[in-house]
Amino acid sequence: MTGRMIDFETVGTPAPGYLATPDTAMGPGVVVLHAWWGLTEPFRQVCDRLAEAGFMALAPDLYRGKTTAAVEEAGMLASALNSEEERVRGDIRGAVKYLRQHGATSPTSPAADGHGKLAVVGFSLGGAHAFDTSVELAKEIAAVVTFYATYSGLDYRRAQAAYLCHFAENDPYEPAESVAEMEQALRMADKQAAFYTYPGTTHWFFEANRPDAYDATAAALAWERTVAFLNTQLRSA
């Protein structure tokens, strides 16, 4: 398994991202979308762990080099991204294209042009973009995994993905009402969706560099479920 920073083609200037490939140099493709901290170590590690599990993973740097560990600054970075919606979508499209041109395979889930569909894994801010991507690139995306994220205002009837959604029990950013709305949105669109809430956890429970929130037991279970889901959706006939 190898992981490294790369530049990949997108609309306008090349976009940076972190790519991790399995030892076989091929595997089902997964786009990883970081939380509002930016492309920090936990999200690069997600790519590495996916590569260890046999997937080819690429995390586009949606902030183009900016990172933070402070909540207030992260909020400002996330707010600034709202005015760059098309650029962000272009970066994600570019990441999908890169994976499909560089060894990402999923023969059991062919896209419209005969190439394999991919998955998207997103965290908080990145999770919202993962939901959006499943609608915007419906013919490309077979599976979506989100951590503590909702986006109930989309027309999910267009999507062709299955969904796996992880939530914290005590989350002021994504309260139970928001989770219920998200689940209803997917059910109403007749989408395959699994929702898991992890008892006693808070937002960021998966991220080991957030000691105030990290829950090793819940994170391990969420990861086990994530890998099993991706294997089912991208490898199983």
Side-chain angles (χ1 to χ4, degrees), residues 5-6 11 22 38 56-57 59 61 67 72 91 97 112-113 121-122 124 129 139 153 157 174 213 215 232:
M5 291 298 297
I6 65 165
V11 177
M56 179 173 286
D61 183 354
T67 63
E72 183 176 354
D91 285 2
K97 183 178 179 180
D113 62 0
V121 176
S124 196
H129 286 291
K139 294 181 180 180
R157 292 173 298 178
E174 298 293 353
D215 187 306
T232 295

Side-chain angles (χ1 to χ4, degrees), residues 6-17 58 60-62 64 84-98 101-102 137:
I6 65 165
D7 288 328
F8 58 92
E9 292 183 8
T10 183
V11 177
T13 59
L58 174 57
D61 183 354
L62 303 180
R64 299 292 180 93
E84 299 183 73
E85 182 175 322
E86 286 309 309
R87 193 271 297 169
V88 171
R89 283 178 172 172
D91 285 2
I92 296 172
R93 285 193 296 268
V96 169
K97 183 178 179 180
Y98 181 93
Q101 291 179 339
H102 292 80
L137 300 180

